[in-house]
Amino acid sequence: MLDTGLVAAAAFGYLILLFAIAYYGDRQRSRGRSIIANPYIYALSLAAYCTAWTFFGSVGKAATSGVTFLTIYLGPTIIAFSWWFGLRKLLRICKENHLTTMSDFLALRYGKGAFLGALATVGVLFAITPYIGLQLKSISGTFNILIYQEAAPPLTMPIYQDTAFYVALLLAMFGILFGARHLDPTERHEGLVAVVVFESIVELLAFVSLGLLVTFGLFPGWGEIFTRIQQSPGLEQLLLVNTGPHNSYSLLLVLTLLAMGAIHFLPRMFHMAVVENTDERHILTAIWLFPLYLLLINLFVMPIAFGGLLLGLPPEQADTFVLRIPLQTGHPYLALLVFLGGLSASTAMVAVASIAVSTMVVNSLVMPLAIRLRLQERITPHLLTIKRSAILLLILLGYFGYHFLFPTVMLVDIGLIAFCGVMQLVPAMLGALYWREATRWGAIAGLGSGFFLWGYTLVLPYFVEAGWFSPTLLAQGPFGLAFFKPTAFLGLTGLDKLSHTFFWSLLFNAGAFVGVSLITTPSPVEEEQARRFVGVFEQERELPLEKRYTSFPSLDHLTHFLESLIGHRKAAAARRAFLQEVAIPESEWGDREKLRLAGFVERTLAGSIGPAAARVIVEGYLSSLGSRMEDVFDLFSRISSSLEESEQQLRRRVAELSVLFEAARRLAYSPYIPDLLEGVLGVLEEQLGIETCAVRLLDERGYLHIKGSRGLPPEAREQVVKPGPESLLGQCLSNFTPQVVALGDSPETGPRLRGLLEEEIMGSLVLAPIATETVTLGVLTAAGSQKGFFTREHVEFFQSLAGQLGLAVRTANMEEALRLDESRLEAVWQLSRMAGASLKEITDFAMEEGVRLTKSKIGYLAFMNEDETVLTMQAWSKTAMEECIVVDKPLIYPLETTGLWGEAVRQRRPIITNDYAAANPFKKGYPPGHVEVRRHLNIPVFDGDHIVAVAGVGNKDEEYDESDVRQLTLLMNAMWWQIKRQREEDALAAEVERGIYFQKLLIHTCMDGIVGNDMDGVIRTFNDTAAKIMGYEPGEVLGRMNIRDLYAPGQFREIEARIHDPFYGGEGVLENYESLIRHQDGSLVPVWLSARLLKENDREIGMIAHIKDLRERKRMEEELLRSERLAILGKMAAHISHEIKNPLMLIGGFARQVLKDFAQDPQKNLEKLHIIVDEVKRLEEFLVEVGSYAKFSEPQKKPGNLNALIQETCQRLEPSLRESKINLALALDPGLPETQFDPGHLRQVILNIAKNAIEAMDTGGALTIATGLRTGRIFVTIGDTGVGIPPEVQEKIFQPFFSSKPKGSGLGLAISQKIVQAHQGEIVIDSEPGKGTQVTIYLPAESYTKLPSNK
Amino acid sequence: MVINITRNLRLANKGRQEEIIMTAGTKKRKLLALLGIFIFFLLNPPLMQTFNREASLGGIPALVLYIHLVWILAIAGLYAFSRSSSRE
């Protein structure tokens, strides 16, 4: 009995202390100095397991059932063995996903659906609420006992008088203060933990103290107590087990199992063990420390229980022995301590449980409901308030529940009911951790059926007892169905209530869970979560990205979003944490990082509102922004081997691929075939350990040559085989298929093995064709000494390898051909540039190139003669020269004696001899000392049909092939062409030279002087004759003098002018022009020149003139003229004297006669005097003519119309015309231009000619006068039809005093000619005797007179 | 700040813990599991039954003694495991 006030004060003070500790704990945490990040603290925090139940209930149970109570504590000890794996896994998952409650855990794991979480929450609620109630009851009960020594208060006590009520409120406040001060995503409440630990210690202390008191204070020791119990009748069973249904083995088992489940899945335990954990490694301490604590705290349970019994306390009060004993034995303060211990235990439980369960309620009930009703926006700011209300409500619910529902039920039982209730979570939780195929429906089915059966078989009976349902339900089952009796479900009897419930609920639970999970398939989300949960310890593998978000918001957006839900500080912290985790700046984020961010945000929120709600909110937010999750197309989804392939197959495939990869690498390394082959063979040998393998390649004729091998003798390389169709090699080639053959059993010979070597046919053999899509190149063989070395599975691999090789070889061949072509083209180009080289240089170069291109060692070139009978050596390669020691090599080889290398000519095609040593009908041997020939290729070089040369190369390391032939042929052809061209060019050059020489000859031997000058007047051509004429040496003149200097001053300008004038021979031509040139000595030399303008492409480039020295001619002309003149003069004198003589004679004669006969006949004298006068007149006329001829005066030219003149003249002629009966026809060109002439003179001319014409037609005829313009000159034609003028007369007709007429002075035409010439014209006579005469007068047209004359 | 520190610690620990798991060795784990199962077995019939009799040692009933000894054994085993695991 203690003073109420004292007790109250003590209690209150204690609670204040707790508050202080909690506050301190929280403060330290916010400062960063956590006081509970300590493994011992963690381990002791688990002691929340020990509630009032432990304190009071254990003793109660020990007093009634003995040892069985230990099961509740042995269970955790046993399961502690699994904590390092099981609990840690749970821990890891919860920490990674920010899971703070079991319902969240289940919800997240099973598809993030809210229903499961809600179901779990509701079940737990039902299980725990009474439990909370019982704690409250124990507090109030114990309080009362302390004060009144009476336990239960009357039921009718109003609430406000019930201490428990106030305690409830106080605890609610405590819970709120230390569990719901703010929304922490991690839900860690360090203050709370500190309190729990403190309380654990207080509990232990209190219990141990009491225990010590009882065991050693009240009794002499353990042994004594036990012995006395043993001796007490009816109590000895307490020391044994399995003495009845209340402590049967099955019950023990059930209790142990329940404890093993409860230690994890009581909400407060989950919270303390998982949520409040700071470090996984603390578990290592907890696994032994916690069992130790349990051991210690239970050490004195039995002594106390038995002690109480022995002290005579009634067993029904066993719950409160711990108080009653010290009270009764006079240790009130110890009782107070015990009371405080009990208070500790209860408060710890209530606080933690209420916080944990309220979180469950908020996350799994409230939030999902709000989201369903689309109220999440309105709810989230008030989450904290909701949580606090939940705490309060829960505690009050516990209180009321207990108050009204279970006032009579024992502590113990309620505890076990709760245990059994939370046990229903075990299948789903275990499945979540360890079973990938567990599905949501399975969990729901399991949980639903489990909770239902638990409720039905365990809770319902209590309700019935409390009077809520009719007792017939228990007695006869629901609706009279005895089969479904709650306490004997399905007819199972003989079990105590707990075992019965345990059995059925877990059977249905696990059965439904497993069964439904197997039937249903997990959704992708579930699958992913399953993977993440079950495989949480596995290294994070980078799985291929399967999903991505479209239009994902930026980090800032998301941070803002988080802020609105969990506050600014936490959002910022989360943002920092994420950035640190990702370690890539946002600008470089890809789809993977965005996916992670989405998950991260979800998890962060999950800590505050549960994963289901978090998921919905985040997805809602994202979709409101238009961001949607879509599939990522996996490019390699079709390539990757399906997961159905076994691990072994995959391994083998990987190995194969790595070998193929290595082979590919080596094949890519070099373009040379030998290297490629070595590469592949090397891979086979090194990586696969195949010691005998070979590569055979086909040549153009279909023979297989071993080009590379391993494990075969070197002579094998020489083997050349044409595989027949029956042989394995042949089949391989023709079918394109690889084969695996097991040999060695019975000795196989014959066609099948043809071409294969001994080493290859020992055991098993793989043949794979080396081919590209179109062409088979060879065969790859690999041999093993054992029969079964190669199997079918290897075939594919070898096929791949051979295929790779095929491609590589083909590429190498192509590249080789290309390279050779390039080389050759380069050589050809070089040849083409050897324009000035000698024949020897060309052939030497071509020879060396030929040797190089065909990779030979020696080479030679011989030219063929015209009729292809003799070869003449032209060039040898350097090495041929060096190696051959034959002295005095013959250069000439008649074809008949040449051996193999003449065959190319005889057969007119290239000859390849790859084995010179072998017998060959064409060989004729070679002289000793000659360089040894091992391989030989020679080709004929054609020019059209004609062989012009033979080229040969020899001693290539490999065999000669078509490619070599081609290259050499093309090269030699190019060389020949070059030679030919060279020759042609030379011939052309020689011709050109000859031409030039001849030209020079022409010029210099020309009898005329040839002078050529360029546009500037510089003399470029000056032949010898010109030199002779002008008296210069060519050397002085050429390129030095100007043409103007050669001519007399001004002459050249005239020439230049006239040459451009078409009149003098044509445009650019000057013909027959007389000019003067200046002799070297300064004298002027008359020359007669013709000149021509030199044009090139219509451009004047110079002038060339042919010059005739006129001096001689001039002299001769002068002589002739003089003699002519003299002759003429003579003639004239003679003519004049004659002309004068006759009349004079007449005159004289008659005059004398007259004188004589003066007096005689005057008539006769008169006649004679008339005759004398006539004669005198004639003489006068004659003398006038002579005079006019002598005094030829210059014409007075003035412009006039010729036609008019002619017409006028014709008028004068009319009488004469009439007289002679001559018709006059005028054909005067009316368009005749005006011209300048002396009308008098021209009249005279026309008259003269017309008179002549008239005289020629003395028997009549026609006189035609025509005028016109012809070839730039005006002509006047006077034609007659007279007797004509004989040619010999025509020559002399213009001579003075020449006449064909008896009368006449013979001067007429001479004068006419003179006149016309003075007009710069000419007279032309055209006559045919008997036909007529046409006299044409040409006069220059006006245009001429325009030219400046510098005369 | 605390969050970060503990998170960093946790992250760092995770790494270490991977090692611990790895190096904890399947053998050790198997031993532990074996011991656990053994203990469970010990606390069930028939072994329980053998001690379930009216005998006592120094006054303490055989059963009680047995159970407690097994309990201590379990704790010892757990302690040993914990020690060796955390030492690595």
Side-chain angles (χ1 to χ4, degrees), chain A residues 1052-1067 1069-1070 1073 1197 1236 1272 1320 1340-1351:
Chain A
F1052 185 69
R1053 222 175 311 143
E1054 278 279 329
I1055 293 169
E1056 228 179 0
R1058 282 170 201 213
I1059 203 172
H1060 286 96
D1061 185 348
F1063 185 70
Y1064 288 92
E1067 174 75 45
V1069 172
L1070 181 64
Y1073 184 76
K1197 289 194 207 156
Q1236 297 209 359
Q1320 281 88 41
E1342 196 66 73
S1343 58
Y1344 167 71
T1345 56
K1346 293 242 173 75
L1347 262 172
S1349 167
N1350 61 352
K1351 280 248 177 80

Side-chain angles (χ1 to χ4, degrees), chain A residues 1032-1097:
Chain A
Y1032 293 101
E1033 286 300 308
E1036 301 173 285
V1037 173
L1038 278 171
R1040 292 194 189 174
M1041 287 185 64
N1042 196 300
I1043 191 89
R1044 293 167 210 269
D1045 301 330
L1046 274 184
Y1047 285 95
Q1051 279 294 309
F1052 185 69
R1053 222 175 311 143
E1054 278 279 329
I1055 293 169
E1056 228 179 0
R1058 282 170 201 213
I1059 203 172
H1060 286 96
D1061 185 348
F1063 185 70
Y1064 288 92
E1067 174 75 45
V1069 172
L1070 181 64
E1071 276 175 5
N1072 304 327
Y1073 184 76
E1074 278 192 32
S1075 185
L1076 285 167
I1077 56 170
R1078 222 201 320 235
H1079 194 272
Q1080 197 223 12
D1081 56 24
S1083 59
L1084 293 176
V1085 177
V1087 290
W1088 190 42
L1089 64 92
S1090 295
R1092 207 181 190 92
L1093 279 177
L1094 293 174
K1095 286 198 177 156
E1096 192 186 351
N1097 300 331

Side-chain angles (χ1 to χ4, degrees), chain A residues 327-339:
Chain A
L327 279 176
Q328 276 199 315
T329 54
H331 297 90
Y333 292 104
L334 189 56
L336 187 62
L337 183 62
V338 170
F339 166 71

